[in-house]
Amino acid sequence: MADLDRAFATRAVHAGERASQKDYTPVVTPIHPTVGFLYDSIDDLDAIFDTAREGYVYPRYGSPTVAAFEVAMADLEEGEAAHAFATGMAAIHAALLVAGVEAGANIVAALDLYGATHTLLDRLLTQLGATTRFVDVTDLPAVELALAETDPVVLVAETISNPLVKVANLPKLANLAHRYGAKLLVDNTFASPYICTPLKHGADFVIHSATKFIAGHGDVMAGVVVTSAEFRQELYEVNKLVGGVLGPFEAWLALRGLKTLPLRMRQQCANAAQVAEWLAGHTKIARVNYPGLEHHPQHALAQQLFGERGYGGVLSFEIAGADKATAFRFMENLELCLPATTLGDIYTLLLHPASSSHRSLPKEERARLGITEGLVRLSVGIEDANDVIADIDQALRKLSV
Ligand SMILES: Cc1ncc(COP(=O)(O)O)c(C=O)c1O
């Protein structure tokens, strides 16, 4: 009933809002796009500010839809707690700060990290006074030497690296990092918790670009760190000030995406394996990188870490004798696979690492890593693998190499 003691303008602002939800529970977590939260007494608000009771005061400090996504991620990664961020890069940045990165601190990091992570370490954090030593994390004696020589606060690695899909020996890296007093931060974006849960192998922080397999549909940007309750509290304190928070609409999409993660990953792993096998037998392909192939240098390790679940949905391959222009023509020839600068979606996506994800690396650095001008990264979707293969086949046929 309208409260006619109040003017139309007042009712227009307040009508319908704040319906009690105390006697029912929605099956699906609603999107809560509110900036403010009201309580019966201001003492309640005060207690929440004081962390004496749980609740929400302002979305930069936390909000219900985001919290639901965090609970789900902590659950799937088998961690104590999770903190969500606006993007994967915001998550990595905050996790590095909480791991102890500050002026004067040393970091040891994998050579072939995602380009922006490499640049964050090598440029932005370097400008602020931290120093990063990059090392091939598949070379354990080299990792140990770097740890011994630099006494770092953190060792940074990707479970499956981008774009060369090398597999990190997480249990051994965790042992080494801890022996030298460093934390292990693992970017698990390419693997997803469906095939690997790094905390179980000793990692201290697991981060995701949830933009990728976690959300899975190419329609949202999100990031998350899964860690101990203690570190989660520190992440919260950092993000309260820095403000790279996930919005409620994005949290809802990411949470919705999680529900089909096992189905999507199962299909994407199977499809990627089929496409990798086919590419490995093609005369115009010089090299295929996929941990599921027996010739992959870490195939046995991948079997041990990932078990029966598969080897991920991403592979990379080098077109024989191709320069940048040839790689570009190949991508333009595709009719089904999409040349988009992302991965982990239900759609099959291609990218030219040298000119996109790893563009910010100096050319010599790319060459040293093996990111050549003819290298293409393929993130296989959930389409029928035979259609994906037919599309790549016709695009390769049109090349004169
Ligand atoms: C392995 C990996 N980590 C982190 C990121 C950064 O994530 P976002 O783009 O969500 O900031 C990406 C983005 O492509 C990535 O591939």
Side-chain angles (χ1 to χ4, degrees), residues 87-89 92 114 162 187 189-190 209 211-212 221-222 343:
T87 65
M89 288 315 300
I92 294 173
Y114 169 59
N162 179 11
D187 182 335
T189 300
F190 272 43
S209 167
T211 313
K212 311 296 188 305
M221 293 205 74
L343 66 108

Side-chain angles (χ1 to χ4, degrees), residues 331-348:
M331 292 168 74
E332 283 165 1
N333 290 343
L334 292 162
E335 291 166 4
L336 172 70
C337 306
L338 305 169
T341 52
T342 186
L343 66 108
D345 289 350
I346 50 174
Y347 317 97
T348 295

